[in-house]
Amino acid sequence: MTPTVPAVTLPPAASPPSRTMQPRRRERRAASAVRLLSRVLTVLAVVAVVGLLPWLSGRDPALTVLRGRSADQEATPEALAAVREQLGLADGPLALLGRWASDVLRGDFGTSWVSGAQVLPGALSALGVSVTLMAFSFVVVLAVAALLVVPSLRGVLRGAPRRTSGAVAAALTALPEFLLATALLVGVSVWLGLLPPYGWDGPSSAVLPALAMGLPAGGLVGRLVADAVATSGAETWVTTWTAAGAPRAALARGLLLRAVPPVLPQVGLVVVGLVGGAVAVERVFAIPGLGRATLGAAQTQDLPVLQAGMLLLIALGALLGVATDVTRRAVLGRAARAGGLVIPSSGHVVRRRDRLVPLTALLLLAALVLGGLAGDPYAADRGRLAGPSGDLLLGADASGRDLLARLGQGAGSTIATAVAVCLAAYVVGLLAGLLPNVTAGPVEVANAAPPVLAGLFVAALTGPSSTGAAVAVLLVSWAPLASHTGALVAEAVAQPHVRVLPVLGVGRMRVLLAHVLPMVAGPVLRNAFLRLPGVALALAGLGFLGLGPQPPTPDWGLVLAEGMPYVERAPWVVVAPALSLVALSVLAVSASALAPGLPRRWRSRSAGAELQGPQQP
C-alpha cells in the first residue's frame, strides 16, 4: 500500500528581484532629480540676486565703479554716462545679467569693472590659495577633533558612556577667528619671529592662518562626534558586544562607524565654511584667497568678480555636499537599506559635578551683568586705555569708557540676539531638514556663503544695524541644522516601525510630523545650542567689519572690534569681551549636555501608537 504524502502548502512565489527593486530605484531616481533641480534653481536665484544687487541697493553702480577706479575723479554726468556705456549699464540690470550668463556658458566670466583684467584667471588663482589653506586647516580640525573624542570613546569602552560638559570644545569654538589670527600674528610672528606674518609664500604662510581657522572648527566637530559616541555607547548592541568579549579595537571601530555618519554632513559644512568663512583671517594675514577677493568685490560692487567668486563658492559647496552624502551612505552600507538603524536615545547619566561647569559660567555672566549696571557705558570720563584697578575692574577702552559697564549693559542685547537667531535657525533648519531633497540646493548655497557676504547684502539693502546683522546670520546659520536634520531623518525612516507605517495607511506627512520629527527634534536642538557660540561670533564678526551695531552701542562684538587695534599695548580691551563670549559659549554647550533623553520618550510613543491601535481611556 502506497503511503499517503501529506499535502504541503508552498509559499507564494517571490517576485523577481528586478520587479521588487523597481519602485525603490524609481524613488532614488526621483529623489536625485529633485536634488539636482533644487541645486540648479538655487544657483540661478543666487546669481540673479547677486547680479541685481547694485540696483536693489538703490545706489548708482556707475558711481560706485567710478569711485573704485579713481577716488579723485569728479562724478560728472558725462563721466557717469561714459562708465554706463562702457559697462553696458544703460541697457538695464536684466539685459546685463542675461549677457553675463550667456558668456559664462561659453567659459567667459568677463572683465573686472575696476581693474579691467580677466576675471576667471584671478578667481581660480584665489580659489587655489583658499583650497590650500583649507587643506591645512582641515588637518588641524581632525587633530583637535580626535583629542576631544578620545575621552568619550574611552568612557564607553570602560562601560560608562556619558556626555561630557563640553567646556573645552565650547571654549575653542568661542574663540573668534579674527581674534585668534591677531593673537597668533602678534605672538608668533612679531614677538617670536617664527613664521611669516603676511602674504602667501608657500606652506609656511599657511600654518598660522590654519591654526586660527582650524581650532574653532575642530572644537565644533569634536564636540559633535564626542556627543554622538557617548549616545551611541548607550545602545543595546554595545552591551551585547561587551558581554561577548569583543576586542576593544573592534568595539571602538563599531562606535565610530555608528557615530560618524550622522555628523558627516556637518563635517562637510565645516569644510566649506573654512573656505567661505575665512574672510577675516585672510584679511588679517593679507592672504590673496577667494574670500578676501569676493569681499573686496562686494565692497566695490565689482559685479563680474563678485559673481565669479560666489559661483565658485557655490560649486565647491555643492561638490562637498555630494561627496559627504556619498561617504555617509557608503559608511552606513546595507544597514540603512535593511532597516537596521536605531536613533540613539540619551542614555547618559547626569552627575552633580556635571552641573558645576554651566553653573560657574552662569555665575560669571551674572556677575558681569550686575557689576556693569552701576557704571555708564557711554561716559568717556576714564583714562584712555587705563588698566584694571580697584575702581576700574576691567579697565577702560581707547575712548576712556568703563569696559565693565559696556560689557555688562551690552550683555542683554548680545545674548538675546544670539539666542533669537539660534531659535529661528532651529525652526527653519528642522522644517527644511524634513524635506532634504527639496532643500538640498538652499542648504549648500547658504553654507557656501559666509556671514560676511550675507551681511554685505543685507547692509546694502537696509544699511548696517543690529537687526540687519541678525537677519544676515540667520540666512546662513540654518543650513547646518537642516543638514543635521536630514541625516537623522534618513536614519529614522529606515527603522522597521517607521517603514511599516505607510503599509498601515499612515500618510507621509503624518509619518514625518508625528513619528520622525519627535525623534530628531532633540538632537537638533542640542546642535542649535552648540552653535550659539558660532552665531554670537558671526554677529561679532559683522560688528568687527562695521556691518552690525554702530558706535557707541555697547555690543560685545563691537567692543571687541574696537579693542583689536590696541591688543598689543592694552590686552585687557580684548581679553574681557573675549572671555565674555567664551563664558556664554561654555554655558550654552554645557547646559545642553544636561538635557534629558526626550527622544526616548517620544520614540516609544511613536513606535507604539500606530502598531497597537487606539487605547482605551
Side-chain angles (χ1 to χ4, degrees):
M1 186 173 182
T2 306
T4 303
V5 179
V8 178
T9 303
L10 298 177
S15 301
S18 58
R19 293 183 180 179
T20 57
M21 293 300 294
Q22 283 180 359
R24 293 185 181 180
R25 290 177 180 175
R26 285 197 296 266
E27 290 179 1
R28 289 197 294 266
R29 290 174 182 174
S32 300
V34 171
R35 293 175 72 90
L36 178 61
L37 181 62
S38 174
R39 290 180 177 120
V40 171
L41 293 178
T42 305
V43 169
L44 293 177
V46 170
V47 170
V49 171
V50 172
L52 297 175
L53 179 61
W55 287 268
L56 294 175
S57 64
R59 295 179 295 175
D60 187 357
L63 178 60
T64 303
V65 172
L66 184 66
R67 294 302 186 196
R69 291 179 175 178
S70 175
D72 299 329
Q73 184 175 354
E74 185 178 356
T76 62
E78 294 78 10
L80 294 176
V83 172
R84 296 190 187 98
E85 182 67 24
Q86 179 184 359
L87 302 179
L89 297 174
D91 299 333
L94 296 180
L96 183 64
L97 183 61
R99 286 198 302 268
W100 176 82
S102 177
D103 292 339
V104 167
L105 293 177
R106 297 194 301 268
D108 181 12
F109 282 76
T111 58
S112 170
W113 285 2
V114 176
S115 65
Q118 287 291 322
V119 171
L120 188 58
L124 292 178
S125 176
L127 178 63
V129 172
S130 292
V131 169
T132 303
L133 181 59
M134 175 193 68
F136 278 86
S137 303
F138 192 61
V139 173
V140 178
V141 170
L142 293 179
V144 174
L147 292 175
L148 294 175
V149 171
V150 166
S152 294
L153 188 60
R154 187 176 298 170
V156 174
L157 295 178
R158 291 177 176 175
R162 66 180 185 87
R163 294 188 302 205
T164 61
S165 63
V168 176
L172 289 175
T173 308
L175 295 174
E177 286 88 350
F178 56 85
L179 175 60
L180 274 175
T182 304
L184 291 172
L185 175 65
V186 174
V188 178
S189 294
V190 177
W191 289 351
L192 301 179
L194 296 179
L195 293 169
Y198 299 108
W200 186 258
D201 297 325
S204 61
S205 301
V207 175
L208 295 182
L211 288 174
M213 295 165 54
L215 287 175
L220 176 60
V221 173
R223 188 66 183 91
L224 288 172
V225 177
D227 187 31
V229 167
T231 52
S232 298
E235 295 178 357
T236 306
W237 67 270
V238 177
T239 306
T240 304
W241 282 31
T242 304
R248 285 196 171 190
L251 182 57
R253 180 175 177 273
L255 282 168
L256 293 177
L257 287 176
R258 178 66 181 96
V260 168
V263 301
L264 270 179
Q266 307 298 313
V267 177
L269 295 177
V270 169
V271 173
V272 178
L274 292 176
V275 178
V279 179
V281 174
E282 291 178 355
R283 168 175 286 189
V284 170
F285 289 99
I287 296 175
L290 185 61
R292 184 172 175 237
T294 307
L295 174 61
Q299 291 174 331
T300 60
Q301 285 191 317
D302 193 347
L303 187 56
V305 177
L306 177 61
Q307 288 171 322
M310 287 299 300
L311 279 182
L312 290 176
L313 288 173
I314 292 170
L316 182 60
L319 178 62
L320 290 174
V322 171
T324 52
D325 185 63
V326 170
T327 303
R328 185 181 65 85
R329 294 177 184 273
V331 172
L332 289 177
R334 288 179 296 179
R337 298 187 295 271
L341 294 175
V342 179
I343 297 294
S345 62
S346 177
H348 74 291
V349 177
V350 179
R351 300 170 299 178
R352 290 185 177 181
R353 64 180 183 181
D354 292 336
R355 299 183 176 91
L356 181 61
V357 173
L359 181 59
T360 302
L362 179 62
L363 291 177
L364 288 176
L365 290 174
L368 179 68
V369 173
L370 294 177
L373 292 179
D376 187 348
Y378 302 102
D381 54 357
R382 306 285 183 162
R384 185 174 181 270
L385 297 177
S389 61
D391 183 48
L392 206 59
L393 296 180
L394 297 182
D397 63 6
S399 299
R401 295 172 297 194
D402 187 353
L403 269 179
L404 179 59
R406 291 185 61 77
L407 292 176
Q409 298 190 30
S413 61
T414 300
I415 297 175
T417 303
V419 171
V421 171
C422 280
L423 292 178
Y426 168 69
V427 174
V428 175
L430 196 63
L431 296 178
L434 293 177
L435 301 173
N437 296 325
V438 176
T439 59
V443 166
E444 292 161 0
V445 169
N447 186 75
V452 172
L453 289 181
L456 286 170
F457 292 157
V458 175
L461 297 176
T462 64
S465 65
S466 58
T467 302
V471 172
V473 175
L474 175 61
L475 288 176
V476 298
S477 59
W478 65 272
L481 300 177
S483 179
H484 189 199
T485 302
L488 294 178
V489 167
E491 296 189 11
V493 298
Q495 297 184 67
H497 75 273
V498 176
R499 295 178 66 177
V500 77
L501 293 178
V503 180
L504 301 176
V506 182
R508 176 177 175 81
M509 189 58 63
R510 178 174 175 81
V511 170
L512 287 177
L513 297 180
H515 301 277
V516 174
L517 180 61
M519 285 191 285
V520 304
V524 178
L525 180 60
R526 294 197 67 250
N527 193 351
F529 271 107
L530 182 63
R531 293 189 176 274
L532 179 62
V535 169
L537 296 182
L539 294 170
L542 294 181
F544 175 75
L545 296 173
L547 302 175
Q550 299 300 295
T553 305
D555 178 80
W556 284 3
L558 185 59
V559 172
L560 183 59
E562 291 172 343
M564 289 298 295
Y566 311 99
V567 61
E568 187 175 0
R569 54 183 295 195
W572 53 86
V573 298
V574 169
V575 171
L579 290 180
S580 302
L581 287 171
V582 170
L584 174 62
S585 303
V586 171
L587 173 62
V589 176
S590 58
S592 66
L594 303 179
L598 295 179
R600 171 181 294 175
R601 183 176 67 250
W602 288 338
R603 182 183 64 180
S604 61
R605 183 188 309 172
S606 171
E610 301 294 341
L611 296 179
Q612 296 178 3
Q615 302 295 318
Q616 297 295 329

